[in-house]
Amino acid sequence: MYYEEQQEPVVQEDDKFLQDPIIRQMVVQLRAVDSYGTYDTWSDARVVDPLVLTKERRRAIPVVGDPDETTISRIKAYYNTLAQLLERETGLLAVPVINITHEGFGRALILVGKLVALDKTLRDVHRFGFESLEALVAEANKQLGKAATLVNEHRTVAEL
Amino acid sequence: MYYEEQQEPVVQEDDKFLQDPIIRQMVVQLRAVDSYGTYDTWSDARVVDPLVLTKERRRAIPVVGDPDETTISRIKAYYNTLAQLLERETGLLAVPVINITHEGFGRALILVGKLVALDKTLRDVHRFGFESLEALVAEANKQLGKAATLVNEHRTVAEL
């Protein structure tokens, strides 16, 4: 059912976005949840490669059935990454909360104190991914920027 | 495995707390999730009865294995109730978010706008219950009071 094994990698070993703080943190988070040590011998490019969904890859993913654990662990890694970077930027503890139903819908929150710094409805969880590492970095930076602004505007609540 | 069938009811039909707005809303919420119509012929007292855990009942509940769906639906009904009453009190939409792991730990949130009005760590989910309806009402009122205060103190964030 799953596609990774047969597919050619999309992310090149010299992709300059592999040096971006967001991708570096994604690699850390993905390696952290790799409890079987599958990634131990993999390069960073290979670890983040499944997050890049080209049109062909997207089409190859069946959306029937529950989203698999690997997909969900990638979504968690992504929001853990945002939380980590938000924490670095604001100096306040940021806690990700992910709720995904069996049907592949859900909600991702990042809480800072009593403030909901990020609130994202998740749809089409089966096909979680980005067109390129560049697109991932751009989206993450946009979300981070909004969250950090919210924290700074309502710092009293974020410090509760 | 489950105990309800053999057990004598604890909540009496004339328990005065059955008239309390919190218990009335609990009944509404519990009936709302009763998709098989099991409760259709049941009195309100019987519907809320499993929420009352006497020492004997508590001891009879096994804590191994995943918490069952009925228990989780009761926890959801409880936080839906708090959200409903908080909404009535503050005039703002209150959204419950419940996360429960397979092991029976979790977190219950009630969000009002961008404010985390209630944040409760859930432990020992298998044994979710109260000593009496009175104890349930007292606990719910305490949580509601705190949540409403928070909303009133940080109304700007709650209105986001």
Side-chain angles (χ1 to χ4, degrees):
Chain A
M1 182 196 129
Y2 211 53
Y3 65 93
E4 269 167 290
E5 323 227 18
Q6 313 101 299
Q7 275 193 342
E8 285 296 303
V10 171
V11 176
Q12 303 304 311
E13 292 293 337
D14 62 352
D15 190 315
K16 64 175 181 180
F17 285 96
L18 286 169
Q19 305 311 321
D20 187 281
I22 287 168
I23 302 296
R24 293 185 66 86
Q25 184 61 231
M26 276 299 299
V27 171
V28 169
Q29 294 293 340
L30 285 165
R31 292 194 187 273
V33 292
D34 172 39
S35 38
Y36 302 109
T38 316
Y39 297 161
D40 287 359
T41 57
W42 290 22
S43 69
D44 290 354
R46 192 169 170 195
V47 169
V48 294
D49 185 71
L51 283 158
V52 176
L53 289 190
T54 57
K55 272 188 196 154
E56 295 68 39
R57 283 187 171 182
R58 197 173 287 274
R59 245 181 273 131
I61 302 173
V63 290
V64 288
D66 294 5
D68 60 89
E69 253 186 80
T70 322
T71 306
I72 290 175
S73 73
R74 277 181 207 131
I75 296 174
K76 288 186 177 166
Y78 177 75
Y79 288 99
N80 286 349
T81 295
L82 291 187
Q84 270 295 317
L85 294 171
L86 186 61
E87 205 166 302
R88 233 180 260 174
E89 198 159 326
T90 61
L92 298 171
L93 186 70
V95 181
V97 177
I98 314 282
N99 252 342
I100 295 173
T101 67
H102 288 299
E103 297 80 25
F105 286 82
R107 201 166 180 186
L109 305 169
I110 295 179
L111 310 181
V112 182
K114 297 285 185 198
L115 182 71
V116 183
L118 183 145
D119 184 354
K120 171 90 175 152
T121 302
L122 303 174
R123 289 192 189 84
D124 207 6
V125 160
H126 298 76
R127 287 169 169 164
F128 181 78
F130 302 85
E131 275 176 46
S132 60
L133 291 192
E134 185 173 5
L136 193 167
V137 167
E139 174 66 15
N141 272 327
K142 204 180 81 184
Q143 290 185 293
L144 258 176
K146 280 172 78 172
T149 305
L150 211 55
V151 170
N152 290 328
E153 283 175 356
H154 304 287
R155 203 142 175 121
T156 332
V157 176
E159 283 173 353
L160 281 178
Chain B
M1 181 195 129
Y2 211 55
Y3 64 93
E4 270 166 287
E5 322 229 14
Q6 314 100 296
Q7 276 192 341
E8 286 295 304
V10 170
V11 176
Q12 302 303 310
E13 292 292 337
D14 62 353
D15 190 316
K16 65 176 181 180
F17 284 97
L18 287 168
Q19 306 311 320
D20 187 281
I22 287 167
I23 302 297
R24 293 184 66 87
Q25 184 61 232
M26 275 299 298
V27 171
V28 169
Q29 294 292 341
L30 285 164
R31 291 192 187 274
V33 291
D34 172 39
S35 39
Y36 301 110
T38 317
Y39 297 161
D40 287 359
T41 59
W42 290 20
S43 69
D44 291 355
R46 190 168 170 197
V47 169
V48 294
D49 185 69
L51 283 158
V52 176
L53 289 190
T54 57
K55 272 189 195 153
E56 294 68 37
R57 283 186 171 183
R58 197 174 287 275
R59 244 181 274 132
I61 301 173
V63 289
V64 288
D66 294 4
D68 59 272
E69 254 187 79
T70 322
T71 306
I72 290 176
S73 74
R74 277 181 208 131
I75 296 175
K76 288 186 177 168
Y78 177 75
Y79 288 100
N80 285 349
T81 295
L82 291 187
Q84 271 294 316
L85 294 172
L86 186 61
E87 203 166 306
R88 235 181 257 173
E89 200 160 323
T90 60
L92 299 171
L93 186 70
V95 182
V97 177
I98 315 282
N99 252 342
I100 294 173
T101 67
H102 288 300
E103 297 81 26
F105 286 81
R107 200 165 181 187
L109 305 168
I110 296 180
L111 310 181
V112 182
K114 296 286 184 198
L115 182 71
V116 184
L118 184 144
D119 184 354
K120 170 91 175 150
T121 302
L122 303 174
R123 290 193 188 82
D124 207 9
V125 160
H126 297 77
R127 287 169 168 163
F128 180 77
F130 303 86
E131 275 176 45
S132 60
L133 291 191
E134 186 174 4
L136 192 167
V137 167
E139 173 65 13
N141 272 327
K142 203 179 82 185
Q143 290 185 293
L144 258 177
K146 281 171 78 173
T149 305
L150 210 56
V151 170
N152 290 328
E153 284 175 356
H154 304 286
R155 204 145 174 118
T156 333
V157 175
E159 284 174 353
L160 282 178

